[in-house]
Amino acid sequence: MGMKPEERMGNSDASANRESAELRELILGYFSAFTTGDPGWVDRHVSRDPSLRLIGTAPNEWLQGEAGFDVFRREAAGATGALAAEVSEVEAYRCDEIGWGAAQVTFTNQQGATATARFTVVFHREGPDWKVVNSHTSLPVADDKAFDDRAFEL
């Protein structure tokens, strides 16, 4: 467990994979944009490449390319502050023109109900800017619940 990311990835060049404060701030900005209403963040930091993949928590949130970008932007524009996000355990790394990260996020609605989600993201450079090319948010569910309450064994 005490291994550095570059050791876990089998990379002997310790300078190749390194923590990134810049990408950490982008991850925090991601959730700010979608809770306070900042579609400009999407314009600046989400790729419009056809390979863009955005996966949300709802069954139909499997979005790709320009259509995915448009949905993402509309959701950010429609945010009214009704949902709060507390982001923790943020980690962000980069290697050359690729970056990645993960976080735990606790969402709270106006009634005080909470849901904790897992978040992963992949960035790449488009010119001077980092852009999201893949993000995935999921709600952890126990294995036995994911299989319709039937017995589940590995």
Side-chain angles (χ1 to χ4, degrees):
M1 283 286 175
M3 298 175 78
K4 295 179 183 175
E6 61 272 8
E7 293 169 336
R8 286 193 302 265
M9 296 177 71
N11 187 338
S12 60
D13 180 4
S15 66
N17 300 318
R18 58 188 177 278
E19 291 187 43
S20 173
E22 181 181 11
L23 294 179
R24 184 182 192 288
E25 289 304 312
L26 283 177
I27 291 170
L28 295 171
Y30 179 104
F31 290 101
S32 178
F34 289 97
T35 56
T36 63
D38 182 3
W41 188 96
V42 177
D43 293 335
R44 291 185 308 276
H45 300 295
V46 177
S47 179
R48 293 178 188 217
D49 190 89
S51 66
L52 171 68
R53 174 62 69 195
L54 306 169
I55 303 168
T57 59
N60 64 337
E61 292 180 330
W62 181 268
L63 309 169
Q64 185 170 11
E66 189 75 29
F69 176 91
D70 292 342
V71 169
F72 218 38
R73 191 178 191 291
R74 275 195 308 275
E75 287 181 2
T80 62
L83 189 66
E86 182 181 330
V87 185
S88 63
E89 299 187 47
V90 179
E91 54 186 52
Y93 302 95
R94 64 170 289 199
C95 178
D96 300 323
E97 303 300 307
I98 301 294
W100 61 96
Q104 298 274 349
V105 185
T106 300
F107 295 102
T108 305
N109 68 14
Q110 289 183 321
Q111 292 75 34
T114 63
T116 299
R118 299 170 179 172
F119 172 76
T120 59
V121 63
V122 178
F123 299 93
H124 80 115
R125 285 263 193 206
E126 289 183 10
D129 302 315
W130 287 106
K131 302 279 186 160
V132 173
V133 293
N134 182 290
S135 76
H136 185 178
T137 305
S138 64
L139 300 171
V141 177
D143 291 340
D144 61 336
K145 298 297 181 194
F147 288 86
D148 300 324
D149 291 327
R150 296 181 204 144
F152 177 78
E153 294 180 27
L154 293 176

